[in-house]
Amino acid sequence: MAENKIDNNKAWKFATNAIHIGSETDKETGAVITPLHMSTTYWQEAPGKHRGYEYSRSGNPTRAALERNLAALEHGRFGLAFASGLGAIDCVLRLLKPGDKVIASDDLYGGSRRIFVKAYERYGIKFAYVDATDVKNIEKELDETTKMIWLETPTNPLLRLTDLKAVAQLNKLMELKSKNSGYPLIVVDNTFMSPYFQKPLLLGADIVVHSTTKYINGHSDVVGGAIILNDETNYKELKFFQNAIGAVPSPFDCWLTLRGIKTLALRMEQHNKNAQKIAEYLSAHKKVKTVNYPGLKSHLQHELAKKQMTGFGGMISIELNGSFEDAVKFATSLKLFALGESLGGVESIIGHPASMTHASVPREHRLKIGLSDALLRLSVGIEDVDDLIKDIEQALDKI
Ligand code: P1T
């Protein structure tokens, strides 16, 4: 630990932690930026006698710096970094055993649902999908076999919320937790908000997961994931699996992600401002049928959003007044919004969930939850918002 800085993440505020935790001045060289440790192996004075690192899959100093930083940002004790968001999700699911049940939001990133259905059901893990906008639906599914409650709030792509405090305070859940050594665990995928706008561990969640590919790295140049938690026993088990399974990020990806995090606070503020303006613009446009954005008063859970988040983020989903072909025409007419997968980068992106991020979700389920073939998802970047609105305007004029 550097002598000229105190590791004081409890006293510092978010933007300070984002810049300083994990980037303490290097003792040997004075480097202000975290060194990039590419070495795969570490010298041992005698077998097993080393300085904390032996092999880069098991532990790497650049990765450890990122993990400390992520833990501080989420107000957790422990952080673990992965090669992708799904790598992190997979690791959390390893805590389960055959016969265990997971209660999950019925509106989730398509890849999360895919790993549940295609990879874990075959090992005897059961999944119950509920409309988690009403915590009573979660309560109804709770039983002795329930070991996890898996939530995205806001959800991808419909931007629906779950009241995390209300979930954590469910009597039935508290009874089960006290009987079953802390299980069922509340797991929250916090990718859409980033720790800047929402800290699930402070609202009663046990584990937070992230696709750091998105806002945390923020520059659309690293695929990564993370787990943050407080419980030491679960941390040790997850750390064991991180090494045993090996979905670890490269040191360079960790270094880039740490660099991205330095501007997370600034970026999130601008994503939020731009998205609010765009959501309001779209809501007032006659060619737009629905706008899902938690910052709009018309959002059914706007009050909860104000209570549980400190901002509304940069993600919007919309349906146009028109056909599927109109939606495609609009998406392909945009010049600043690139048509593609992913989100959370500084540049704006428009996606078509039904054919892209949620293509693996059966159509019948998609329609049931309101994810229509015409739904479009906007990841609002941090360009000048006037330019973004002009771009949307000219594309809407084309339909
Ligand atoms: O892509 P990866 O880093 O493996 O993260 C998966 C993931 C997990 N959780 C959420 C909420 C996500 O949105 C994602 C990835 N999502 C996209 C690629 C997308 O365009 O929605």
Side-chain angles (χ1 to χ4, degrees):
M1 199 60 55
E3 276 129 33
N4 62 340
K5 284 181 193 167
I6 335 152
D7 186 3
N8 195 12
N9 64 34
K10 293 270 179 330
W12 287 338
K13 294 201 173 142
F14 189 93
T16 314
N17 281 337
I19 291 167
H20 289 282
I21 305 292
S23 297
E24 295 82 6
T25 307
D26 184 50
K27 264 191 186 167
E28 250 164 59
T29 62
V32 169
I33 293 303
T34 313
L36 172 53
H37 291 279
M38 293 298 283
S39 186
T40 53
T41 188
Y42 290 82
W43 173 71
Q44 309 194 9
E45 197 181 323
K49 202 168 169 202
H50 53 76
R51 302 175 188 184
Y53 296 99
E54 45 197 318
Y55 183 59
S56 193
R57 169 165 37 73
S58 327
N60 171 283
T62 313
R63 189 171 92 215
L66 172 63
E67 292 176 335
R68 279 195 294 122
N69 180 286
L70 290 168
L73 298 189
E74 283 286 5
H75 286 231
R77 289 177 65 204
F78 306 108
L80 291 163
F82 290 83
S84 68
L86 279 169
I89 289 170
D90 176 72
C91 192
V92 174
L93 294 169
R94 304 272 170 179
L95 295 172
L96 299 168
K97 298 188 178 61
D100 288 349
K101 176 167 120 180
V102 179
I103 303 173
S105 316
D106 59 6
D107 175 26
L108 289 176
Y109 167 57
S112 303
R113 199 181 159 102
R114 181 179 55 202
I115 194 173
F116 294 169
V117 174
K118 303 270 181 182
Y120 278 89
E121 275 183 7
R122 67 159 78 177
Y123 296 118
I125 312 286
K126 297 186 176 65
F127 294 88
Y129 300 97
V130 300
D131 172 358
T133 57
D134 184 351
V135 296
K136 285 200 200 85
N137 296 327
I138 296 175
E139 191 174 25
K140 272 186 233 153
E141 280 291 342
L142 280 169
D143 61 29
E144 283 290 337
T145 67
T146 311
K147 292 292 148 57
M148 268 180 204
I149 299 173
W150 195 284
L151 302 166
E152 261 176 34
T153 177
T155 56
N156 179 0
L158 294 168
L159 286 306
R160 292 177 180 155
L161 312 187
T162 300
D163 186 337
L164 293 178
K165 263 193 189 163
V167 174
Q169 285 165 7
L170 284 171
N171 282 336
K172 206 161 156 191
L173 179 71
M174 291 197 285
E175 274 167 33
L176 287 169
K177 272 178 168 291
S178 64
K179 257 203 313 201
N180 300 327
S181 335
Y183 284 80
L185 300 171
I186 303 175
V187 183
V188 177
D189 185 330
N190 200 24
T191 299
F192 266 35
M193 280 298 105
S194 91
Y196 184 67
F197 282 141
Q198 179 171 264
K199 295 179 187 62
L201 296 178
L202 300 184
L203 298 166
D206 300 291
I207 296 181
V208 169
V209 296
H210 277 283
S211 167
T212 55
T213 316
K214 312 295 164 18
Y215 289 107
I216 287 185
N217 177 61
H219 295 73
S220 306
D221 50 13
V222 176
V223 173
I227 302 174
I228 302 103
L229 73 166
N230 284 316
D231 181 83
E232 192 161 2
T233 309
N234 287 335
Y235 166 68
K236 283 189 175 150
E237 201 167 342
L238 291 167
K239 190 166 170 54
F240 166 79
F241 283 126
Q242 181 196 39
N243 177 49
I245 292 156
V248 292
S250 76
F252 186 48
D253 283 353
C254 295
W255 187 90
L256 277 174
T257 305
L258 260 177
R259 181 167 81 158
I261 288 172
K262 289 182 196 292
T263 55
L264 181 60
L266 285 175
R267 286 188 282 109
M268 291 313 294
E269 285 293 340
Q270 200 58 42
H271 282 295
N272 188 64
K273 275 189 198 142
N274 286 3
Q276 182 75 37
K277 275 202 178 160
I278 289 176
E280 283 167 13
Y281 167 82
L282 288 165
S283 303
H285 202 290
K286 61 179 189 314
K287 288 188 183 169
V288 181
K289 187 163 78 182
T290 40
V291 181
N292 304 312
Y293 182 66
L296 290 177
K297 289 199 181 76
S298 59
H299 189 282
L300 288 176
Q301 295 164 293
H302 180 60
E303 289 310 312
L304 173 61
K306 283 200 289 190
K307 203 173 73 179
Q308 133 168 320
M309 291 132 59
T310 51
F312 306 111
M315 298 303 297
I316 302 174
S317 57
I318 59 168
E319 270 187 294
L320 301 179
N321 273 319
S323 61
F324 169 68
E325 287 69 29
D326 288 328
V328 173
K329 176 89 188 149
F330 169 70
T332 52
S333 300
L334 288 162
K335 295 192 168 71
L336 277 174
F337 286 79
L339 177 62
E341 309 232 0
S342 205
L343 59 109
V346 291
E347 62 289 305
S348 294
I349 290 181
I350 186 156
H352 178 244
S355 68
M356 294 177 170
T357 50
H358 292 70
S360 62
V361 179
R363 186 164 183 269
E364 155 203 335
H365 174 78
R366 277 196 283 107
L367 298 183
K368 203 172 112 197
I369 62 165
L371 198 173
S372 77
D373 290 336
L375 189 89
L376 294 168
R377 192 189 70 181
L378 282 74
S379 171
V380 178
I382 63 170
E383 300 94 336
D384 190 295
V385 72
D386 294 340
D387 290 332
L388 294 177
I389 289 178
K390 262 190 228 152
D391 190 30
I392 293 173
E393 200 158 32
Q394 64 78 25
L396 283 172
D397 284 346
K398 300 239 160 68
I399 61 166

